[in-house]
Amino acid sequence: MSRTDERSSGPIPDPSRRPSAEPHGHGLRLCAWDPESDADVEAWFLGRADPDFQRWNTPTTLDGSLEGARESLRQRAESDAEGKTVSFRVADAQSGVTLGLVGLSGIDAFMRRAVVGYWVLPEARGRRVATRALDLAARWAFTGFGIHRLELDHVVGHAASCRIAELCGFPYEGTMRGAAFDEGRHDAFRDAHLHARLATDPALEGI
């Protein structure tokens, strides 16, 4: 349940709160990941092991195997339970097949700010899954979680992410120098573009 603070003009999100109903729309459903589900673990592994994902993202740890993926998914589930992150499995609304991930990190409950990220499995690309999932997650963050400012960043050169951000109402705000790990490295950095969307921005149509 949202709570209020005398220093804030509105409800402050409770990071430990999971939605009572799965956010859905645009032909998608945002579900919880289950580390004990073999299907969820396989999708998690395939998404993070995809060469295109690894080109633009450098996770703190690489899974290496299905067991490694299960462990990293368990760690994410623990992070969700502790209110540090919110992770959704993006599923086709009719079949339930996993299409990707969308989630929040860097949650600042007092400032009502968070960072949104996503990835899509290779076989689900070209179907506007990322665009639809991002918009769905943003709407939930604003109306169901109490976020005021939702940030999105991606490494410079990732043109597809720039397009998706703009389509979903996240205008470009600037370049953050050395804000992301270089590809496959934790000892070198690269620049990132910052986009953001506010709860008070006009509602989008036609996503």
Side-chain angles (χ1 to χ4, degrees):
M1 177 178 292
S2 297
R3 65 188 191 280
T4 59
D5 189 289
E6 62 184 5
R7 296 165 294 178
S8 174
S9 60
I12 297 175
D14 179 353
S16 66
R17 172 181 170 270
R18 293 292 301 186
S20 57
E22 296 174 343
H24 60 279
H26 304 317
L28 303 175
R29 187 172 295 277
L30 304 187
C31 316
W33 289 88
D34 180 3
E36 306 314 312
S37 163
D38 290 344
D40 282 14
V41 170
E42 183 177 9
W44 180 266
F45 175 72
L46 292 175
R48 287 160 53 92
D50 174 60
D52 197 54
F53 170 86
Q54 294 191 3
R55 178 185 177 189
W56 303 113
N57 304 273
T58 305
T60 303
T61 59
L62 297 177
D63 299 333
S65 66
L66 285 175
E67 279 310 304
R70 191 182 301 276
E71 180 57 30
S72 70
L73 187 51
R74 282 175 177 153
Q75 291 174 3
R76 179 58 71 88
E78 291 173 3
S79 177
D80 286 355
E82 293 168 358
K84 297 176 181 177
T85 53
V86 176
S87 308
F88 289 116
R89 180 174 66 88
V90 180
D92 181 272
Q94 290 188 337
S95 68
V97 170
T98 300
L99 305 175
L101 167 142
V102 65
L104 308 183
S105 62
I107 298 169
D108 184 333
F110 178 67
M111 290 301 297
R112 298 166 62 192
R113 182 171 61 218
V115 178
V116 64
Y118 62 88
W119 50 257
V120 176
L121 288 167
E123 60 269 25
R125 291 174 190 156
R127 295 158 47 187
R128 304 187 73 212
V129 171
T131 303
R132 291 180 286 141
L134 176 57
D135 181 65
L136 191 57
R139 291 172 186 266
W140 173 81
F142 296 140
T143 63
F145 195 55
I147 292 296
H148 170 68
R149 175 179 168 88
L150 193 57
E151 298 179 352
L152 182 158
D153 62 76
H154 61 82
V155 298
V156 172
H158 197 346
S161 275
C162 248
R163 289 194 301 271
I164 291 167
E166 295 284 349
L167 282 171
C168 287
F170 289 76
Y172 168 73
E173 294 191 342
T175 298
M176 304 184 296
R177 296 177 300 151
F181 282 129
D182 209 347
E183 182 180 354
R185 300 177 61 176
H186 293 142
D187 61 348
F189 300 86
R190 50 186 166 173
D191 297 346
H193 282 173
L194 174 65
H195 300 254
R197 178 172 161 181
L198 304 182
T200 52
D201 287 342
L204 298 180
E205 302 292 339
I207 291 294

